[in-house]
Amino acid sequence: MARPRKPLLSRSRIVEAAGVLVDGEGLEAVSTRRLAAALGVSGPSLYNHFRTKDEILDAVADAVSARVDLSMFDAGDGREWQVALRDWAHSYRAALSDHPNIVPVLARGPGRRPAGLRVADAVFGAMTAAGWPPAQATRIGALMRYFILGSAVASFAGGFVDDETAYDPSDYPHLGQAHLLAERRREVDEGAFETGLAALLDGLALQYAALRETP
């Protein structure tokens, strides 16, 4: 029998299949058995490409990081650092919103993941190029990552049920309209993200101005 022109298995095929499982059922859905079944191969063959499940999840996380736009940090792009951070935050959150189940893996940090390291490198490089001291540039990168990842972990509006009897005014006098939040989930969550992002950037702009005035 002639050998197939293309290999039955590759890293990219495994990552794609694992990503589908993570998106649809969460991190715990990823297993050798499930992936082998989805790919139509034997379980042990996966170990020719990945040693552990964690390595597979790292690769899925890095594939999501690779979708984040970093062009605003290019030296010739011309955007001010505040605008670059804002545009990057929007791109990063959009990638996470499409794949929220992988956020816990991303939250562990870039480790050795190439795309994740490129993100960290781009942010730090742009901030130092703008005149931020290296230590503060590191803090800004961490702050932005905490904020963006945190916004993708869970929905504030989704934490309330759409049952008005759940919020007795005698117990919760200020939550009389809380039962309406669930149906406005996207509006509330996106509004909260924009409010927080503006507050962060405005605060950083004040710090930057003070830094530039320091002899």
Side-chain angles (χ1 to χ4, degrees):
M1 180 180 295
R3 297 182 63 183
R5 293 183 179 180
K6 294 182 180 180
L8 291 175
L9 207 54
S10 66
R11 286 181 64 90
S12 61
R13 285 194 65 208
I14 295 170
V15 171
E16 182 179 0
V20 171
L21 285 175
V22 171
D23 287 345
E25 302 178 43
L27 297 174
E28 297 305 315
V30 178
S31 68
T32 301
R33 180 183 60 80
R34 291 290 303 277
L35 282 174
L39 293 164
V41 299
S42 63
S45 63
L46 298 174
Y47 295 112
N48 293 325
H49 301 275
F50 294 98
R51 293 176 297 176
T52 65
K53 171 182 171 177
D54 283 344
E55 283 192 1
I56 296 173
L57 292 177
D58 268 350
V60 173
D62 213 39
V64 173
S65 293
R67 300 178 187 181
V68 180
D69 182 13
L70 299 176
S71 64
M72 66 287 296
F73 297 128
D74 291 344
D77 181 82
R79 273 174 268 194
E80 295 292 333
W81 65 267
Q82 302 100 313
V83 176
L85 280 180
R86 183 200 65 199
D87 294 347
W88 167 66
H90 283 142
S91 177
Y92 199 172
R93 184 173 185 270
L96 299 184
S97 295
D98 289 338
H99 308 281
N101 290 339
I102 200 64
V103 170
V105 180
L106 286 164
R108 297 201 292 258
R112 297 177 181 272
R113 299 193 296 266
L117 289 170
R118 281 192 289 272
V119 171
D121 181 73
V123 176
F124 180 81
M127 293 306 99
T128 53
W132 287 99
Q136 189 66 351
T138 298
R139 297 185 190 108
I140 290 170
L143 167 67
M144 296 299 294
R145 193 171 70 85
Y146 296 156
F147 173 67
I148 297 166
L149 288 171
S151 75
V153 168
S155 163
F156 174 81
F160 293 87
V161 298
D162 60 359
D163 178 4
E164 61 183 326
T165 65
Y167 309 106
D168 191 320
S170 62
D171 294 322
Y172 316 107
H174 305 296
L175 295 181
Q177 301 297 307
H179 64 284
L180 301 176
L181 290 175
E183 67 182 41
R184 299 174 183 173
R185 176 172 179 163
R186 181 171 181 176
E187 175 187 350
V188 172
D189 292 341
E190 290 186 356
F193 178 79
E194 295 298 337
T195 299
L197 181 59
L200 282 177
L201 296 177
D202 287 348
L204 287 174
L206 291 175
Q207 292 184 33
Y208 187 76
L211 176 69
R212 306 301 283 180
E213 293 173 0
T214 302

